[in-house]
Amino acid sequence: MRIETREGYEGTGPGAITPDGCAVELYARLPVGGEPDIIAAAVPAGAHILELGSGVGRMTHPLLERGFTVTAVDESADMLARVRGARTIHSSIEDLDLGERFDVVMLASFLVHAGDEEVRRGILSTCARHVADGGCVLIQREGADYHTHVPRERVDPSGFTVRVASVRPAGEGVNSVHVEYVFPDAVWTQTFLSRPLTKEQFESALAEAGLEVDSYLTPDGIWVRAVPSA
């Protein structure tokens, strides 16, 4: 399967760049953070997780270490080549149809904010199509101020800087976001399209796919557990 670069998405820096502008070498360096603990606390022990947009396995590997079974899906073969210990599927998320259902479907990395509304609909339909009865979908949303107070940056304790350099309108309700990752020995950039969603817009998008919010898992509302609508 060959997936061309997505329109409005690009990346620069050493190594392979994925269709949505992600640099494989960069994501191999990024620290994990607290996401695996949030996920583990929200789902049954030993659950089978369908991870949509797994990348290099930044969350896959910690979830495997916590005793979960993971099927990792990504549209980049270069990303999937870094995943160890999980079943891997090379596919775009919106086109995925495994004919299987999973205890947990996970959609991280703000993928629900896809700039193209049809892509978002396809992604959420994939989530609904693959979640088992009694299962759940875990979704990571952008923070409320993600598109404001720009430029801004933070220095990671491990010694690199993440800089949201610009956010510019790129169509009705869509922004082009440019992010820079500065390491002592290399610099990567990514430009991507993102559609901000209010809480009401987010929940409406879920409803369109046959899903509804079960709970907001973090005080900032970034992590959400959704379930099939009754």
Side-chain angles (χ1 to χ4, degrees), residues 37-110:
D37 290 330
I38 294 170
I39 295 159
V43 303
H48 191 168
I49 299 174
L50 176 64
E51 184 184 5
L52 301 176
S54 65
V56 297
R58 191 167 58 94
M59 284 195 278
T60 315
H61 299 138
L63 291 172
L64 291 170
E65 291 169 1
R66 287 162 171 78
F68 297 102
T69 300
V70 182
T71 293
V73 177
D74 203 277
E75 66 179 7
S76 167
D78 292 310
M79 288 283 198
L80 287 176
R82 305 295 185 101
V83 175
R84 298 288 182 267
R87 173 193 179 194
T88 58
I89 305 290
H90 184 207
S91 173
S92 61
I93 297 171
E94 59 268 33
D95 296 324
L96 185 71
D97 192 352
L98 297 178
E100 305 171 39
R101 292 182 178 267
F102 298 80
D103 304 319
V104 180
V105 178
M106 186 171 75
L107 185 69
S109 301
F110 313 138

Side-chain angles (χ1 to χ4, degrees), residues 11-30 55-58 74-83 188-190:
T12 66
I17 304 294
T18 69
D20 62 353
C22 294
V24 176
E25 296 297 334
L26 166 64
Y27 277 82
R29 293 190 183 199
L30 293 180
V56 297
R58 191 167 58 94
D74 203 277
E75 66 179 7
S76 167
D78 292 310
M79 288 283 198
L80 287 176
R82 305 295 185 101
V83 175
W188 286 273
T189 73
Q190 184 182 11

